[in-house]
Amino acid sequence: MSAPIASSQKLQKAQKIEIYSRFPRIPALHFAVYVGLGALLIASIGQVSPSPERLWDGIPRIFNLMDRMLPPETDPAFLVRMGWRLLETLQIAIAGTVFGVILSLPIAWLSARRISPLPFGSFLFKGLVSLFRTIPDLVWALIFVVTVGLGAVAGTMTIVVDTIGFCGRFFAEAMEDSDQEPQVALDAIGASKFSILMSVVLPDAMPSLINTTLFALEKAIRSSVVLGLVGAGGIGQELKSAFDLFQYHKASAIILSIFVIVLIMEWITDRLREKVK
Amino acid sequence: MTSPDPVLSDNTPSKSISSELMSDVPLSDNSKVMAPILRVQNLKKSYDKENVILNGISLHIREGETVALIGSNGAGKSTLLKCLVGLHENTDGDVEVLGTRFKRTATRQQRHNIRKQIGFVFQNHGLVKRLSAHTNVVHGFLGQKGSWRAFNQAFAPQDWREKAMHALEAVKLSDKAKDRADSLSGGQAQRVAIARALVREPRLLIADEPAASLDPASGHTVMQQFVDLARENNITLIFTSHDMEHAVSYSDRVIALKSGKIHFDKPSGEVSKADLHGVFDQ
């Protein structure tokens, strides 16, 4: 037992090892940036967050609004009209998602690193996807309401663009993360880029593509609800007019129905996600 | 170092060889008789001045031969195989594979000509894990006419589906045809990869460490089936291996690479222990 200890002591004496510091050194420039960001955060909180007095004053108003909203409207004629609007909302979401996903696939392929047949042009498609994603859906809705008029078509086009912005990015990432070895194996026997996409990349990335599509559908349903606020069809238009006309019983019925629809869609997409492996 | 072929030996005037190799016509009547399937002359590959992988490789492989490429890690075995099919750009030298000649870079058409006649088996099988063994074998038809039908066995013509089943039968895995590739053992997956390479009826089969990721028993099974099938079908086989027993037992000829050069090139029956030790001496 004594020999290892002796040799260990000998080792300690024989070698003087320099140990690096416990914490990484922060360059002066980085430190200045961190301080600047902290100052910006504090200034933002001071300027735009609600003051405690204002929050306190708002509490009675919240109860007052809830009192005016309950019970929700149950007039059959209203419920039927709301049902049709809900159906239109779902149609906007589903049609927009389907077209968006179909268009996202080639865009993602063209923008995915190593997979794209346009190695030097892929940034163009990445840029296009970034443009679609960066502009908020309500802004797209306003653009399409101006270009194609009020109604569900503008809403569907908004969801298509929004879905391309979302799926285009995540599809491309899933393609880039797909297994490299089969791609090299099929490239070695002369398979084209398109053949490799269809034979390797899509089957391998399929669970991720389906998951992304389901998230896109959930996102589209939530978006399609609010698109009506700017005249792009769906239940949002009913909600806006209910608030504008102070019909809070109707507004609460609409909010409840939206909640139920979103809950059902999340339940369905969760079940589908479990099946995808 | 043994010069493998007098036609390509270092004594041959380089001018005539290089000018000959520049064109796309057959080398000579003599070479036709010898049925060369692969010729490499003074092949060099480096990533930068200090990182030289291949440093003047010359070799000549005839139709029907089974050749083992051996060497330590970094000797250039895998790089050499990839240079042959244009997966890597060569720094210098001349390559002729299956009648197609190129120097530094094969053109798109040349790569297509070469790749449609070869099978390639990689160390880690390279199967699409979420697809069935049958579909993975049908993928062997990619790169051929109407290859969109090889995306999946469901779209494939009946004769391709049958050939794929025969290839699976040849590697004794027809009962696993419908199983997903990720449910197969390492040895089974490698045999499916061999079936994928065989289904295209290649003239040249290239395998990069086909048994390296397998346990010894599976490794022997895979190598035995691989070599038997290649010989039965008169396919030229070039494989790399770290396993000296595999290299000597399953090949007609052993080519050893060391520091990017050919260390020796001998019939496998003539390879001695001293030869093999010499390959791995630093």
Side-chain angles (χ1 to χ4, degrees):
Chain A
M1 286 296 286
S2 61
I5 293 167
S7 66
S8 168
Q9 286 169 345
K10 198 175 167 186
L11 190 70
Q12 283 177 20
K13 283 177 187 171
Q15 293 179 342
K16 194 84 173 168
I17 296 173
E18 197 171 316
I19 303 174
Y20 59 88
S21 83
R22 290 173 191 275
F23 304 104
R25 283 185 149 199
I26 302 172
L29 182 65
H30 289 194
F31 184 72
V33 169
Y34 295 147
V35 170
L37 286 173
L40 185 67
L41 177 69
I42 291 166
S44 301
I45 290 170
Q47 284 182 3
V48 297
S49 63
S51 63
E53 300 84 44
R54 208 166 166 185
L55 278 175
W56 184 255
D57 292 345
I59 290 172
R61 281 187 223 140
I62 289 173
F63 283 110
N64 179 263
L65 179 64
M66 285 176 71
D67 186 45
R68 292 162 73 183
M69 285 179 122
L70 294 173
E73 180 66 65
T74 53
D75 174 43
F78 167 73
L79 291 179
V80 168
R81 198 175 73 236
M82 194 178 68
W84 284 112
R85 284 296 200 177
L86 271 177
L87 183 65
E88 187 184 62
T89 306
L90 281 176
Q91 286 173 328
I92 290 170
I94 292 169
T97 306
V98 168
F99 283 119
V101 165
I102 290 170
L103 292 171
S104 294
L105 283 168
I107 291 174
W109 179 44
L110 294 169
S111 64
R113 274 180 293 114
R114 289 181 284 100
I115 315 276
S116 172
L118 309 170
F120 302 109
S122 63
F123 72 95
L124 285 175
F125 291 93
K126 280 212 160 131
L128 181 71
V129 170
S130 294
L131 175 75
F132 286 172
R133 195 174 55 252
T134 313
I135 297 173
D137 50 4
L138 278 179
V139 177
W140 282 116
L142 285 169
I143 291 168
F144 288 123
V145 164
V146 171
T147 50
V148 298
L150 290 166
V153 175
T156 307
M157 289 177 72
T158 303
I159 297 296
V160 169
V161 172
D162 202 38
T163 302
I164 293 172
F166 181 75
C167 290
R169 179 186 173 179
F170 289 107
F171 283 3
E173 284 182 5
M175 289 178 185
E176 287 168 2
D177 290 342
S178 63
D179 196 355
Q180 285 290 297
E181 285 167 359
Q183 294 177 42
V184 175
L186 296 184
D187 182 37
I189 59 170
S192 65
K193 288 263 186 189
F194 183 66
S195 294
I196 290 172
L197 172 79
M198 298 301 288
S199 306
V200 181
V201 177
L202 288 183
D204 199 48
M206 194 52 75
S208 178
L209 301 184
I210 292 173
N211 268 328
T212 303
T213 301
L214 294 174
F215 279 123
L217 182 61
E218 284 177 26
K219 189 171 173 294
I221 287 169
R222 280 191 289 270
S223 294
S224 59
V225 167
V226 293
L227 293 181
L229 300 178
V230 292
I235 192 79
Q237 278 178 343
E238 291 289 327
L239 186 63
K240 185 173 184 294
S241 54
F243 271 107
D244 286 349
L245 299 171
F246 307 107
Q247 295 171 332
Y248 295 118
H249 295 286
K250 288 184 177 176
S252 63
I254 293 167
I255 291 168
L256 265 179
S257 65
I258 291 168
F259 174 67
V260 170
I261 288 291
V262 170
L263 215 60
I264 290 170
M265 285 308 293
E266 284 188 359
W267 184 84
I268 293 170
T269 52
D270 282 347
R271 299 286 86 72
L272 289 172
R273 227 171 262 128
E274 281 172 12
K275 286 190 182 298
V276 180
K277 286 178 187 169
Chain B
M1 188 183 111
T2 312
S3 180
D5 178 13
V7 176
L8 293 177
S9 71
D10 291 339
N11 298 329
T12 313
S14 59
K15 193 180 170 189
S16 62
I17 286 294
S18 57
S19 60
E20 192 179 33
L21 289 171
M22 283 290 284
S23 70
D24 253 357
V25 295
L27 275 178
S28 66
D29 290 338
N30 186 37
S31 64
K32 276 183 185 172
V33 173
M34 292 162 77
I37 204 155
L38 189 147
R39 285 166 183 258
V40 176
Q41 174 67 27
N42 199 30
L43 179 65
K44 291 180 181 172
K45 171 69 186 173
S46 57
Y47 294 104
D48 51 58
K49 279 184 181 174
E50 291 173 3
N51 197 2
V52 179
I53 310 295
L54 299 175
N55 191 9
I57 300 286
S58 296
L59 57 89
H60 175 195
I61 292 172
R62 293 175 184 83
E63 192 141 24
E65 272 190 306
T66 299
V67 178
L69 271 179
I70 62 168
S72 54
N73 288 334
K77 307 183 295 293
S78 301
T79 305
L80 174 58
L81 296 186
K82 287 174 182 169
C83 284
L84 297 180
V85 294
L87 280 173
H88 284 336
E89 187 178 307
N90 307 328
T91 307
D92 197 10
D94 303 297
V95 176
E96 181 187 347
V97 185
L98 300 159
T100 300
R101 294 176 190 173
F102 62 95
K103 286 175 80 69
R104 286 186 63 182
T105 315
T107 62
R108 189 187 168 95
Q109 185 58 46
Q110 285 174 324
R111 281 200 302 272
H112 181 71
N113 286 344
I114 294 168
R115 293 178 187 183
K116 74 180 182 186
Q117 299 181 76
I118 66 161
F120 212 125
V121 176
F122 288 85
Q123 180 180 339
N124 291 318
H125 58 71
L127 300 183
V128 186
K129 296 182 182 78
R130 297 188 71 256
L131 297 178
S132 70
H134 194 200
T135 290
N136 270 288
V137 178
V138 168
H139 283 170
F141 291 106
L142 289 172
Q144 300 192 3
K145 203 175 177 184
S147 67
W148 70 269
R149 299 191 70 177
F151 294 165
N152 193 294
Q153 61 82 23
F155 315 137
Q158 192 58 18
D159 64 320
W160 286 9
R161 296 180 79 242
E162 281 174 15
K163 281 181 181 175
M165 280 305 292
H166 282 303
L168 279 172
E169 180 64 35
V171 294
K172 298 182 173 54
L173 282 175
S174 55
D175 58 324
K176 302 279 184 189
K178 288 163 79 176
D179 292 10
R180 266 171 57 154
D182 56 5
S183 71
L184 303 174
S185 69
Q188 288 171 335
Q190 195 60 297
R191 280 149 63 198
V192 172
I194 291 168
R196 180 177 64 188
L198 287 171
V199 78
R200 36 199 293 126
E201 297 169 6
R203 287 177 65 200
L204 173 63
L205 201 45
I206 296 174
D208 191 7
E209 306 272 4
S213 58
L214 307 177
D215 62 71
S218 304
H220 276 292
T221 309
V222 165
M223 286 306 300
Q224 191 64 59
Q225 280 188 352
F226 200 10
V227 171
D228 288 348
L229 288 166
R231 284 181 179 149
E232 279 167 22
N233 296 289
N234 194 34
I235 297 169
T236 308
L237 172 63
I238 307 171
F239 67 92
T240 63
S241 183
H242 271 119
D243 189 319
M244 294 305 105
E245 192 191 337
H246 286 178
V248 175
S249 308
Y250 297 117
S251 70
D252 305 322
R253 178 176 156 200
V254 178
I255 299 174
L257 295 185
K258 190 173 180 180
S259 305
K261 293 184 173 181
I262 292 183
H263 182 65
F264 70 76
D265 180 352
K266 289 183 174 181
S268 51
E270 294 175 16
V271 176
S272 67
K273 279 188 178 175
D275 289 331
L276 297 177
H277 283 306
V279 177
F280 298 99
D281 285 347
Q282 293 301 312

